[in-house]
Amino acid sequence: MMAAAVSRFRGSLLGALLGDCIGAVFEGHTNVTKEFLFDYMKSLDKGERLKSVLTYTDDTAMARSIVQSILENDEFDVDDLADRFTTEYYRDPDRGYGMAVVHVFEKLASGEYKYVFSPAKEQFDGKGSYGNGAAMRVVGIPLAYPRIPDVIEYAKTSGMLTHASSLGYNGAILQALAVHYALQEELTPETFLDQLLDHMKEVETDKRSRSDALELEMDEFPYCNKLKKIKAFLAREDVTRKDIIKELGNGIAALESVPTAIYSFLRCLKPVPELPSELTNLQQTIAFCIMLGGDTDTIATMAAAIAGAYHGEEQIPLNWKLSAESYKDAEDWGEKLHQLYCKR
Ligand code: 8NA
Ligand code: MG
Ligand code: MG
Ligand code: MG
């Protein structure tokens, strides 16, 4: 049965929150054992984690800033967003931010920069960050804007505040488009991927994307190439964890994590034999991402934002939801974003 619209918006924000909170427990692990992960998930089911709630990390802290900025301004406002990112970082700096991105906040706070995009451009000797930080936080944009050109423009602009490399902000565009298409009623993995491919072809044709790929010694159209790999993987029955890590990645670069999140969502549309059958698709998606190890909080937050937009909040058990810090905001903001989306 199709999830009702508002449930998809709340499901997306709650999924993103839970992917981050649960994934953070395993962040950086190279070998996540099934036993440990499944026991952990059982303890969530039973409500054993309710006494000390699971805290969210930088992924959710920044996603919250984007959502609050849109809701309070009724529009996307990049200067306001830069302020919020910076204020939030100084309010609560120990959320596990990326090593380099904190320099952007320091520079934004210094008052010495006229343009909000300038500090990001100075990262990595002028090359800009290609980390997954722009993608991990983008979910609010496709939940607020129904039109594709807006989704692309605001995903890019919000990303460029910290990630000036096209590999960084193009990852945010791809993640935002994935959430957008997951919100729509009909979805087959084939058409979903074809639509993403069509847009990313256009996105990656621009001069900056081509020169960045060249400079990083990769083939042109890096995101399109990953989307094609996802297609090939979905057609096979014998794809291993090792294959996924090697071909799609599980790292902190956007190119090595956004496609992995998309694949994980699509793979978990069908039951995964390795995973407990009592888990819903959305729960399986989170478990699937975490079992890959590496940047588990970020890959799980992105995959579950997509899965939540598709399956709706009904796939999130009550005790999972209650275990996460600030889950009420996700419910409340999901409803408000739904209203905004319908109004536009
Ligand atoms: P970022 O901009 O600091 O990028 C993250 C990292 O990517 C950097 O510290 C570099 O190591 C690397 N990097 C990015 N661009 C370049 C470049 N041009 N040249 C060389 N190296 C580069 O921060 P971000 O916001 O993108 O980071 C997001 C990630 O950090 C998320 O996973 C988030 O959860 C957090 N985090 C990750 C880990 C982890 O081990 N996976 C641990 C703590 C925090
Ligand atoms: Mg994090
Ligand atoms: Mg303003
Ligand atoms: Mg992470």
Side-chain angles (χ1 to χ4, degrees):
M1 205 173 79
M2 276 298 158
V6 67
S7 144
R8 293 174 161 226
F9 287 70
R10 281 203 297 253
S12 184
L13 289 186
L14 284 167
L17 173 65
L18 279 162
D20 180 21
C21 287
I22 304 171
V25 177
F26 301 86
E27 190 173 21
H29 291 204
T30 38
N31 231 326
V32 178
T33 65
K34 274 191 222 175
E35 293 69 29
F36 184 52
L37 175 62
F38 300 164
D39 280 352
Y40 190 85
M41 290 188 155
K42 270 219 183 77
S43 76
L44 284 177
D45 281 332
K46 289 191 196 139
E48 286 166 12
R49 306 272 154 187
L50 293 174
K51 280 197 209 90
S52 60
V53 291
L54 300 175
T55 51
Y56 61 73
T57 76
D58 57 326
D59 306 61
T60 302
M62 298 194 86
R64 288 169 60 88
S65 289
I66 292 183
V67 170
Q68 286 172 295
S69 178
I70 293 173
L71 288 178
E72 281 174 36
N73 294 295
D74 219 37
E75 264 316 329
F76 182 80
D77 178 337
V78 78
D79 296 302
D80 176 75
L81 185 57
D83 275 350
R84 284 175 196 265
F85 282 163
T86 308
T87 306
E88 170 57 28
Y89 169 70
Y90 281 102
R91 191 183 70 80
D92 197 355
D94 298 326
R95 291 276 182 184
Y97 286 88
M99 297 275 276
V101 71
V102 299
H103 302 304
V104 174
F105 304 136
E106 288 161 6
K107 288 177 182 176
L108 285 171
S110 73
E112 285 165 22
Y113 290 78
K114 191 168 166 202
Y115 301 107
V116 285
F117 298 112
S118 304
K121 288 184 186 160
E122 293 179 359
Q123 296 288 85
F124 297 98
D125 300 317
K127 294 188 189 77
S129 173
Y130 54 60
N132 53 23
M136 72 185 183
R137 66 186 186 221
V138 81
V139 59
I141 287 168
L143 297 183
Y145 291 92
R147 294 177 55 251
I148 298 266
D150 292 335
V151 173
I152 293 176
E153 184 189 333
Y154 301 144
K156 180 174 180 175
T157 314
S158 66
M160 285 171 70
L161 283 175
T162 47
H163 292 68
S165 166
S166 62
L167 272 301
Y169 60 73
N170 285 348
I173 293 175
L174 177 57
Q175 169 65 15
L177 288 170
V179 172
H180 169 86
Y181 282 111
L183 281 177
Q184 315 307 315
E185 301 277 301
E186 306 281 332
L187 185 153
T188 68
E190 293 74 27
T191 55
F192 183 75
L193 283 170
D194 284 340
Q195 284 162 323
L196 294 180
L197 253 169
D198 280 348
H199 291 298
M200 292 313 289
K201 258 182 220 155
E202 208 177 308
V203 166
E204 292 192 302
T205 300
D206 92 321
K207 230 166 80 197
R208 179 68 201 264
S209 297
R210 294 186 146 195
S211 63
D212 283 348
L214 217 64
E215 194 172 306
L216 292 165
E217 294 179 1
M218 46 179 81
D219 293 332
E220 287 187 343
F221 299 94
Y223 282 101
C224 290
N225 295 335
K226 292 273 188 175
L227 289 167
K228 287 175 191 161
K229 272 186 196 157
I230 295 175
K231 244 189 186 179
F233 272 4
L234 288 172
R236 280 171 47 187
E237 298 285 338
D238 61 345
V239 180
T240 65
R241 258 200 257 190
K242 237 173 138 179
D243 295 329
I244 301 167
I245 295 167
K246 180 164 172 279
E247 300 287 326
L248 298 178
N250 66 353
I252 49 174
L255 187 65
E256 283 167 17
S257 47
V258 179
T260 311
I262 292 172
Y263 172 72
S264 301
F265 158 65
L266 291 172
R267 175 64 192 84
C268 294
L269 290 174
K270 287 193 290 189
V272 179
E274 280 184 277
L275 299 175
S277 56
E278 66 271 19
L279 298 182
T280 64
N281 308 80
L282 185 143
Q283 291 176 292
Q284 288 212 349
T285 304
I286 293 177
F288 189 90
C289 294
I290 291 175
M291 276 176 31
L292 299 173
D295 196 358
T296 47
D297 66 329
T298 302
I299 296 174
T301 201
M302 295 190 292
I306 306 168
Y310 184 67
H311 300 292
E313 67 183 333
E314 291 77 7
Q315 289 215 349
I316 299 167
L318 182 64
N319 278 344
W320 280 43
K321 180 176 88 178
L322 299 179
S323 302
E325 180 184 3
S326 302
Y327 73 89
K328 282 199 178 113
D329 288 337
E331 293 180 315
D332 178 30
W333 296 346
E335 196 142 334
K336 292 198 168 110
L337 286 171
H338 175 246
Q339 287 166 8
L340 208 56
Y341 185 98
C342 294
K343 205 175 77 182
R344 290 191 206 278

